[in-house]
Amino acid sequence: MENTAYFNNDAIVFGLLMILLAFVFYTSSIKKGFWKKFYKFVPALLMCYLLPAILNSTGVISTENSQLYFVASRYLLPASLVLMTLSIDLKAIFNLGPKALIMFFTGTVGIVIGGPLAILIISVFSPETVGGAGPDATWRGLATLAGSWIGGGANQAAMLEIFKYNPEKYGGMVFVDIVVANLWMAIILLGIGRTKAIDKWLKADSSAITSLKNKVSDYTESISKKPTLNDYMIMLGIGLGATGIAHWGADGISAFLTSNFEVFNDKSSALASFTSTFFWMITIATFIGILLSFTKARKYEGAGASKLGSVFIYILVATIGMKMDLTMIFDNPGLIAIGLVWMSIHAGLLILVAKLIKAPYFFLAVGSQANVGGAASAPVVASAFHPSLTTVGVLLAVLGYVVGTWSAYACAILMQIASGS
């Protein structure tokens, strides 16, 4: 398909994204008048996501031939994870308790049961939407969505291989994935601006989260100093150097597994997701950051390590936003309806359980994104609450890779039953 965007040069597109980010940060810093009222209801992070989406939707820019998301997710994301975990307090994270895991697995269950329930509900109004036979059966295509929403791309590819969905129709499912998952992420980001009100409604005890944030903030303040050029160069060396190590390790581990164990070459195997270089890259980068938190490198938090990591995160958010085409919502209403009902069940179950166990909104938001968004967006959402919480998002996203294939397989079987195939 021919690219008809006005700007196709990535240098120009990146410049536009940075101008948008600068605009959002400048206007959100204004403490009076219209902008103060505006950002009271609309989080700055959501604007960093939404404005690039509007440019993409109106044809000003296009993600079709752009490499910006790849660069941000493969180079800047692992660097940001290292810089944001330099001052991590593992004991304080473990003190957050079991609610993070409960909400993560609630999100997983919501995806598993949401698929078949969505098929049953939509079949009442539009049975042809959930029909089809053989490789064209809708439930087979939806199985790839289940893989994507519990783990990520590797799990999605596994579901496509296992259930043999018609490759010519696969693009439609990718389309639903992008639209619904991005809409849900936008809603979650909108909720971050009202965290206190949501926590009050949930009657949540967020004292452990507050304690962790305060502890990190107090530590940062105690070692705070005016950063020098040397500090910036060393921090960039730490972050991007660790990114290089993470890529090297990821390539090596993936190649070792596929070369020495036949089971990892079988795309229909649950173990195939462990050959994902992205999975190992995120895991290794986080591990390096945690290791460095036990060394003198943690003192670079005082020079602004997590702030530098946040810069990378916001660039990633902008590139994620430019993947969203708001006009696509109206292109395939039947499949979109299934996706929206499915995601609504996932969200409803999360809200119900959060209310029952009095879990803070942070656990709901990150537990959901660790499933639906994976390692690319869970750290983004977690860091929006506070940079010290980024590691929670990463750890839960890694868990999503582990349970993804088996959970998606169970969901696919239930969808097959629900569709009467």
Side-chain angles (χ1 to χ4, degrees):
M1 185 173 66
E2 186 180 351
N3 195 337
T4 56
Y6 192 80
F7 295 114
N8 294 304
N9 185 322
D10 265 350
I12 299 172
V13 175
F14 183 62
L16 287 173
L17 294 184
M18 293 307 298
I19 290 171
L20 289 180
L21 291 175
F23 170 78
V24 171
F25 273 81
Y26 173 72
T27 53
S28 64
S29 69
I30 298 174
K31 300 304 179 186
K32 57 183 179 180
F34 169 78
W35 290 114
K36 181 182 178 181
K37 295 177 182 177
F38 179 82
Y39 286 106
K40 183 179 179 181
F41 298 99
V42 182
L45 182 63
L46 177 60
M47 291 299 294
C48 294
Y49 171 84
L50 193 58
L51 291 179
I54 293 173
L55 290 187
N56 184 50
S57 303
T58 54
V60 177
I61 63 176
S62 174
T63 189
E64 186 180 338
N65 296 319
S66 175
Q67 295 297 310
L68 291 179
Y69 172 74
F70 180 85
V71 171
S73 61
R74 266 62 176 182
Y75 304 154
L76 301 186
L77 175 59
S80 71
L81 296 179
V82 173
L83 293 170
M84 292 174 122
T85 52
L86 277 182
S87 60
I88 197 67
D89 188 329
L90 281 180
K91 184 179 178 182
I93 284 186
F94 291 133
N95 286 341
L96 291 177
K99 290 183 180 179
L101 283 176
I102 292 173
M103 294 308 296
F104 168 79
F105 283 112
T106 297
T108 303
V109 171
I111 297 297
V112 171
I113 67 172
L117 287 176
I119 287 178
L120 291 173
I121 292 170
I122 297 300
S123 66
V124 175
F125 306 98
S126 179
E128 66 278 3
T129 300
V130 298
D136 293 332
T138 301
W139 70 266
R140 296 181 188 273
L142 295 176
T144 66
L145 274 187
S148 177
W149 290 349
I150 319 174
N155 304 91
Q156 186 175 28
M159 291 302 102
L160 181 63
E161 186 70 22
I162 292 171
F163 293 104
K164 308 294 183 185
Y165 184 58
N166 186 346
E168 293 181 6
K169 293 188 174 184
Y170 179 54
M173 294 299 168
V174 174
F175 153 83
V176 176
D177 182 8
I178 293 171
V179 171
V180 177
N182 280 278
L183 280 175
W184 175 233
M185 184 174 177
I187 293 170
I188 283 179
L189 295 179
L190 187 62
I192 291 176
R194 305 183 180 187
T195 299
K196 288 185 179 179
I198 295 173
D199 282 348
K200 185 178 180 180
W201 179 76
L202 292 171
K203 297 180 180 178
D205 177 14
S206 58
S207 58
I209 296 173
T210 303
S211 175
L212 174 58
K213 291 192 290 187
N214 291 340
K215 194 171 183 179
V216 171
S217 297
D218 291 343
Y219 174 74
T220 302
E221 189 174 341
S222 70
I223 60 172
S224 182
K225 68 169 187 172
K226 185 177 180 179
T228 64
L229 177 61
N230 282 351
D231 291 326
Y232 282 120
M233 293 306 294
I234 291 171
M235 288 187 291
L236 286 171
I238 291 172
L240 296 174
T243 297
I245 294 171
H247 275 267
W248 175 65
D251 290 343
I253 293 172
S254 180
F256 174 78
L257 293 176
T258 53
S259 299
N260 294 278
F261 303 97
E262 191 59 36
V263 66
F264 289 102
N265 292 306
D266 181 4
K267 292 183 178 180
S268 64
S269 168
L271 295 175
S273 59
F274 289 102
T275 62
S276 166
T277 54
F278 186 75
F279 165 77
W280 288 112
M281 178 194 70
I282 295 300
T283 303
I284 294 170
T286 305
F287 182 68
I288 291 173
I290 292 172
L291 283 180
L292 289 173
S293 71
F294 293 99
T295 71
K296 290 182 179 180
R298 68 182 281 117
K299 291 187 176 180
Y300 281 101
E301 174 58 26
S306 64
K307 290 184 178 66
L308 189 57
S310 295
V311 171
F312 295 159
I313 285 287
Y314 275 96
I315 293 173
L316 173 64
V317 169
T319 63
I320 293 175
M322 69 176 283
K323 293 173 64 181
M324 178 62 174
D325 185 347
L326 300 172
T327 63
M328 286 169 40
I329 298 172
F330 308 103
D331 284 359
N332 198 333
L335 288 177
I336 292 294
I338 294 176
L340 291 176
V341 171
W342 191 346
M343 196 59 72
S344 298
I345 293 168
H346 164 79
L349 187 61
L350 280 167
I351 294 169
L352 174 63
V353 174
K355 185 77 172 172
L356 290 174
I357 68 172
K358 300 180 180 179
Y361 178 65
F362 168 74
F363 290 143
L364 186 157
V366 176
S368 173
Q369 280 303 298
N371 280 286
V372 178
S377 60
V380 171
V381 171
S383 67
F385 288 88
H386 195 272
S388 64
L389 300 170
T390 304
T391 306
V392 179
V394 179
L395 295 176
L396 290 180
V398 169
L399 184 59
Y401 276 101
V402 176
V403 304
T405 303
W406 288 286
S407 300
Y409 186 87
C411 177
I413 298 302
L414 290 175
M415 288 192 292
Q416 181 183 13
I417 295 170
S419 64
S421 299

